[in-house]
């Protein structure tokens, strides 16, 4: 994830429609960000970006408030409650991912109906932003990210890739795995999904055991890609325990320092990088009427592999990638 501090410092520059710049400057922008669990390694970096963007908002009398679920067991309905909680606080703007449209879209429509500017990020893409009446989408187009990963696998000879999904049913993770499958099929390969219960998210032992069992059951699997950097750490253990390191090439969506070290050491093939840019876009719009003509604002995907891993590691060490 590319420089999340700067990227979420720019989710505040594009966003709050129908709020007068004069009144906004008097009171500051009161922005709510819906995201994942604060102790989730991926979302902790996004939250850091939101917190840093909040410092910019505070300079003009504003604030940024982070709202995340306690767990991912009931993701869509819980996220919808968070959206409505944010709306009840009379916000200047809201930023949120459209993880589970059937559960969350009504809540987002309530935000727009109330005249509160909305930016969708992380999940849903520009299609969701248009459908909901949001100002913009900021982030990765997840299907395109999956296509990039599948194309990379295919170009490096992979024929049977397992996509490990610890949040099955979420739009962004499903799109990632579908993109992998569609892209690798074009090179004559295939990909199947290993959906795991959401309760296994953050449980490295459960994830590792499930991947190990899948690899041992099907000896034609020559690639494993996970939907998160944390799951990639579990997958690395599983592949090692299955004595399949010479055959099964590991990859992940998103990355952390451990994954980058594996890429550098040659035990992980690549990671699909992305970034975010929403809070500062909204802050600038609320305070100064600034908006961006570019829609959507895409912050990825990019492939991090042995060729460019060194340039990426400093950002990860700083906690912003």
């Amino acid at each position: 994830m590319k420089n999340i501090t700067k990227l979420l410092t720019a989710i505040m520059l594009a966003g709050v429609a129908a709020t007068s710049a004069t009144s906004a400057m008097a009171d500051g922008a009161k922005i709510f960000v819906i995201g994942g669990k604060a102790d989730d390694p991926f979302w902790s970096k996004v939250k850091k970006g939101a917190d840093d963007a909040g410092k910019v908002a505070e300079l003009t009398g504003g604030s940024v408030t982070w709202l995340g679920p306690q767990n991912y067991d009931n993701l869509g309905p819980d996220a919808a409650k968070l959206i409505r909680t944010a709306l009840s606080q009379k916000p200047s703007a809201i930023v949120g991912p459209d993880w589970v449209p059937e559960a969350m879209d009504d809540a987002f429509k309530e935000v727009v109906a109330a005249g509160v500017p909305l930016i969708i990020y992380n999940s849903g893409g520009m299609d969701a932003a248009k459908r909901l009446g949001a100002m913009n989408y900021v982030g990765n187009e997840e299907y395109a990210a999956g296509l990039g990963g599948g194309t990379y696998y295919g170009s490096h000879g992979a024929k049977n890739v397992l996509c490990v999904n610890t949040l099955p049913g979420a739009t962004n993770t499903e799109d990632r795995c579908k993109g992998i499958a569609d892209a690798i099929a074009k090179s004559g390969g295939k990909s199947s999904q290993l959906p795991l219960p959401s309760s296994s998210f953050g449980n490295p032992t459960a994830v590792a055991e499930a991947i190990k069992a899948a690899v041992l059951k099907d000896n034609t699997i020559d690639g494993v890609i996970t939907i998160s950097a944390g799951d990639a750490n579990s997958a690395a253990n599983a592949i090692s325990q299955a004595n399949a390191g010479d055959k099964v090439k590991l990859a992940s969506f998103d990355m952390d320092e451990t994954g980058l070290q594996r890429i550098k050491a040659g035990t992980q093939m690549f990671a699909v990088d992305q970034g975010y840019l929403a809070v500062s876009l909204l802050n600038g719009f609320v305070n100064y009427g600034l908006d961006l003509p570019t829609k959507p604002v895409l912050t990825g995907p990019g492939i991090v592999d042995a060729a460019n891993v060194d340039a990426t590691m400093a950002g990860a060490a700083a906690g912003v990638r």
Side-chain angles (χ1 to χ4, degrees):
M1 197 163 36
K2 256 180 203 178
N3 201 334
I4 296 195
T5 297
K6 290 184 179 177
L7 293 173
L8 266 168
T9 298
I11 286 178
M12 283 190 316
L13 282 173
V16 177
T19 302
S20 95
T22 302
S23 63
M25 288 182 71
D27 301 328
K30 186 179 178 182
I31 298 172
F32 284 78
V33 180
I34 311 301
K37 295 168 54 183
D39 62 352
D40 178 329
F42 172 82
W43 285 102
S44 66
K45 295 181 176 68
V46 181
K47 185 178 184 301
K48 179 180 179 349
D51 291 342
D52 288 349
K55 296 173 184 176
V56 177
E58 289 169 6
L59 295 175
T60 52
S63 64
V64 174
T65 301
W66 180 273
L67 298 177
Q70 295 298 310
N71 55 56
Y72 297 139
D73 295 348
N74 200 29
L75 183 60
D78 285 350
K81 290 178 183 177
L82 293 176
I83 296 165
R84 292 187 171 104
T85 295
L87 184 58
S88 72
Q89 299 302 307
K90 302 187 183 305
S92 303
I94 292 176
V95 180
D98 196 21
W99 287 316
V100 187
E102 59 268 27
M104 299 172 65
D105 278 8
D106 285 349
F108 278 131
K109 288 176 182 177
E110 292 170 21
V111 171
V112 175
V116 176
L118 170 68
I119 284 182
I120 301 298
Y121 81 131
N122 177 253
S123 178
M126 197 62 204
D127 287 345
K130 290 178 179 178
R131 183 178 70 249
L132 298 170
M135 292 188 61
N136 209 336
Y137 172 73
V138 179
N140 216 16
E141 292 285 2
E142 303 295 356
Y143 179 69
L147 288 176
T151 299
Y152 191 94
Y153 260 130
S155 68
H156 287 75
K159 295 298 182 185
N160 185 5
V161 175
L162 188 68
C163 185
V164 181
N165 190 351
T166 47
L167 288 174
T171 301
N172 57 335
T173 61
E174 295 288 345
D175 285 350
R176 287 176 171 188
C177 287
K178 186 177 187 305
I180 290 286
D182 289 351
I184 200 167
K186 293 180 180 179
S187 61
K190 66 177 182 178
S191 177
S192 59
Q193 186 177 149
L194 177 62
L196 300 179
S198 58
S199 58
S200 67
F201 191 95
N203 184 335
T205 300
V207 174
E209 287 299 322
I211 296 171
K212 177 183 175 182
V215 169
L216 290 174
K217 182 178 180 180
D218 184 353
N219 62 13
T220 70
I221 291 174
D222 55 8
V224 170
I225 186 166
T226 64
I227 63 154
S228 73
D231 288 339
N233 298 333
S234 301
N237 290 333
I239 292 168
S240 175
Q241 291 168 14
N243 295 316
D246 292 338
K247 179 184 65 174
V248 178
K249 304 304 180 186
L250 175 62
S252 70
F253 290 93
D254 308 324
M255 58 196 179
D256 60 13
E257 286 186 83
T258 304
L260 291 174
Q261 291 289 353
R262 283 195 300 269
I263 292 173
K264 188 174 178 64
T267 56
Q268 179 167 327
M269 182 178 279
F270 67 92
V272 183
D273 189 21
Q274 64 168 315
Y276 294 95
L277 176 67
V279 173
S280 62
L281 294 176
L282 284 171
N283 187 60
F285 187 86
V286 173
N287 286 329
Y288 313 114
L290 299 174
D291 195 2
L292 292 180
T294 302
K295 298 181 181 183
V297 179
L298 297 181
T299 60
I303 298 292
V304 177
D305 61 8
N308 60 356
V309 65
D310 286 338
T312 310
M313 294 181 75
V320 298
R321 295 195 74 173

